[in-house]
């Protein structure tokens, strides 16, 4: 597995800030040559550290969406079955296993509070889920 260098990490941070920045601007910002920036991007892409390039646009509906993160505790050895059920929920945008007091973390998005309330009810009704804690996401400062 490739381990990004300090330069790689600074390059990734610069690309997160402005993914459309010209190679020459990135090189100047990082204090390296354009060839070095190009080579690092190629290497990061080849090793799967950078998995793609995209454009994000603000969806007008996104501003009114209810977004949240839900930490989920699962009973015993039911995690695989719970994950299979949660994968069927279109409101769950990402699902992660984790360590500590929680077994799973779900990133969720709903159109309004009524839909959000319904989603929480359905999640809590899944056999094997013994506890959950949900935090609403108010604003994104880094994405």
């Amino acid at each position: 597995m490739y381990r990004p260098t300090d330069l790689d990490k600074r390059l990734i941070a610069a690309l997160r800030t402005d993914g459309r920045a010209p190679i020459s601007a990135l090189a100047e910002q990082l204090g390296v040559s354009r060839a070095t920036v190009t080579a690092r991007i190629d290497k990061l892409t080849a090793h799967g550290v950078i998995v793609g390039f995209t454009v994000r646009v603000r969806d007008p509906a996104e501003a009114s969406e209810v977004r949240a993160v839900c930490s989920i505790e699962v009973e015993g050895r039911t995690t695989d079955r719970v994950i299979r059920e949660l994968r069927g929920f279109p409101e769950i945008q990402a699902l992660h296993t984790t360590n500590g007091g929680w077994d799973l973390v779900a990133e969720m998005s709903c159109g309004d509070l009524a839909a959000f309330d319904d989603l929480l009810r359905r999640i809590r009704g899944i056999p094997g889920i013994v506890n959950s804690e949900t935090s609403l996401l108010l604003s994104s400062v880094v994405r």
Side-chain angles (χ1 to χ4, degrees):
M1 181 173 171
Y2 180 73
R3 297 184 65 92
T5 65
D6 179 60
L7 176 59
D8 294 335
K9 291 175 186 175
R10 291 188 300 130
L11 175 58
I12 291 167
L15 288 169
R16 281 186 174 143
T17 300
D18 182 2
R20 295 183 56 199
I23 297 293
S24 58
L26 291 168
E28 183 176 326
Q29 179 182 344
L30 298 171
V32 297
S33 71
R34 290 179 6 209
T36 299
V37 170
T38 300
R40 300 315 306 168
I41 290 173
D42 290 346
K43 188 167 191 165
L44 290 167
T45 302
H47 283 91
V49 176
I50 294 177
V51 295
F53 298 87
T54 186
V55 173
R56 292 189 321 249
V57 295
R58 178 162 304 281
D59 180 353
E62 183 180 313
S64 64
E65 286 183 359
V66 177
R67 297 179 314 127
V69 175
C70 181
S71 301
I72 301 168
E73 181 183 358
V74 177
E75 177 181 50
R77 298 178 185 209
T78 62
T79 303
D80 290 340
R81 186 174 47 74
V82 168
I83 288 171
R84 277 193 301 278
E85 282 209 46
L86 290 173
R87 281 186 175 150
F89 289 43
E91 303 92 342
I92 296 179
Q93 298 174 324
L95 184 62
H96 313 275
T97 58
T98 186
N99 66 331
W102 303 104
D103 301 300
L104 301 169
V105 175
E107 298 175 42
M108 310 177 306
S109 179
C110 294
D112 56 36
L113 284 174
F116 180 70
D117 184 43
D118 180 64
L119 173 62
L120 290 180
R121 182 189 53 73
R122 289 184 289 135
I123 288 173
R124 291 177 181 145
I126 294 173
I129 292 181
V130 293
N131 194 15
S132 68
E133 180 178 297
T134 304
S135 297
L136 292 176
L137 302 176
L138 302 177
S139 64
S140 297
V141 294
V142 176
R143 256 182 135 178

